[in-house]
Amino acid sequence: MKILVIGSGGREHAIVEAVSRSPKAKKIYAAPGNAGIAQLAECVAIKDTDVEALVAFAKREAVDLTVVGPEAALAVGVVDRFREEGLKIFGPTKAATEIESSKDFAKRLMKKYDVPTADYATFTDYEEAMAYVRRGSLPTVLKYDGLAAGKGVVIATTMDEAEAALRDMLLDTKYGEGRVVIEEFLTGEEFSLMCFVAGSKVVPMPVAQDHKRAYDNDEGPNTGGMGAYTELPFVTDEDHAYAMENIMQRVADAMVAEGCPFTGVLYGGLMKTPQGIKVIEFNARFGDPETEVVLPRLKSDAVDAFMAVANNEKPTVEWSEGATLGIVLASKGYPGSYDKGFVINGTERVESKIYHMGTAMKDGELVTAGGRVMIVVATAPTLEQAQAKAREDIAKIECDNLFHRTDIGAKAFR
Ligand code: AMP
Ligand code: GLY
């Protein structure tokens, strides 16, 4: 089979690698891919949101299956267009992607179907939103409604902060057309439960945890994710069963009932609060960097799984035992401004897996080319061993402009 993977990050590198382990994958393309992906696939210079060019490429090369990584491609309807052309594709339609792209859609769905989540209200008017915030308690959570690449959530701890954020979201045009979801602030351990979903058929992947803050001890600004690991000791079998029944399965059924059945990966961003497990957000795709620690544990055939879902069938999947732990190497300055083009040496001595996030080849050398540069993923019987192994391997990588967190996974074994 010929497989096309859309996207260019660490998530897509992990997808391409999982696909490359399948004997069914005779040829793999990535659009646009990256320097790491290029070792496993043929990279074609098509932007992930250039739907017509992607359709034309898939037809010309007689691609048998396309797997979509990024939400941006889903939100512009890449799945709808591929299906119109009779092309097989793994991912949700534009309408089903609303579960991620519209916070208001997701919240209304959860309320209607009694899925546990934070209380909320939606506003388009600045004065009404401020009045609501003044009546409530602090901290308060303000979410811009729309795709905002993780930048649309503000946790305001003072009235001044809330006012400034609401001004940005509703009075300035900084974020585009304005609508804000204001939520109750929840506390607890966060975790990611990704499931293969084909209509009402739901199959879970191992639970993972992201680390969103830039520095150790969850300090510093929010990022695209500085590391992740599986499994999570604080998510019990009972928690898992509860989340599957009352959150993931219920939402899959709700999407069918609402006339926009979901196919692809439904990502539950969940929190274990003192009042039980609640939804923080849904994503309509594989998480990044969770995918980089989850897919290495996929023992069964990845192409079979993606194909089954694309055909609206329940996939059969098998996972290996043990722990995986991934540490991101990011450019100094990230998530703020940073310089690119620093030479990276020593990756060939690394035994763990490396997934590239933002690298390039320049004059025959591997160089940094993004904020998050690569993720080093170790597998071991225990998390503690996996962390030690990842850190040992990171010490072999030489580059003048990288930093990483040293505490990924630590709260699971401290
Ligand atoms: P989101 O983009 O919705 O995932 O929000 C980004 C991050 O903000 C989440 O990963 C949480 O850490 C935090 N967050 C979002 N909603 C809430 C909430 N209701 N209570 C507490 N923290 C939240
Ligand atoms: N790891 C969070 C996300 O993929 O959105």
Side-chain angles (χ1 to χ4, degrees), residues 103 141 143 153 155 183-186 190 212 280-281:
K103 305 246 184 226
V141 183
K143 298 187 175 182
V153 178
I155 297 179
E183 272 186 24
E184 165 200 16
F185 177 74
L186 302 175
E190 281 184 72
K212 287 187 177 158
I280 295 290
E281 62 159 351

Side-chain angles (χ1 to χ4, degrees), residues 210 212 224 267 281 283 285-290:
D210 187 4
K212 287 187 177 158
Y267 166 121
E281 62 159 351
N283 291 325
R285 48 160 178 92
F286 277 112
D288 194 343
E290 289 92 334

Side-chain angles (χ1 to χ4, degrees), residues 197-267:
V197 173
S200 56
K201 300 173 271 285
V202 183
V203 177
M205 302 183 211
V207 173
Q209 188 175 49
D210 187 4
H211 293 59
K212 287 187 177 158
R213 299 298 198 102
Y215 315 128
D216 280 7
N217 302 313
D218 290 333
E219 282 167 16
N222 260 319
T223 69
M226 296 298 292
Y229 65 96
T230 70
E231 295 270 332
L232 278 58
F234 60 84
V235 179
T236 64
D237 289 350
E238 201 185 351
D239 292 336
H240 194 267
Y242 175 88
M244 283 305 293
E245 182 186 338
N246 297 288
I247 296 173
M248 306 309 291
Q249 183 66 54
R250 194 171 294 171
V251 165
D253 292 340
M255 296 293 278
V256 174
E258 293 293 312
C260 53
F262 194 95
T263 43
V265 175
L266 182 62
Y267 166 121

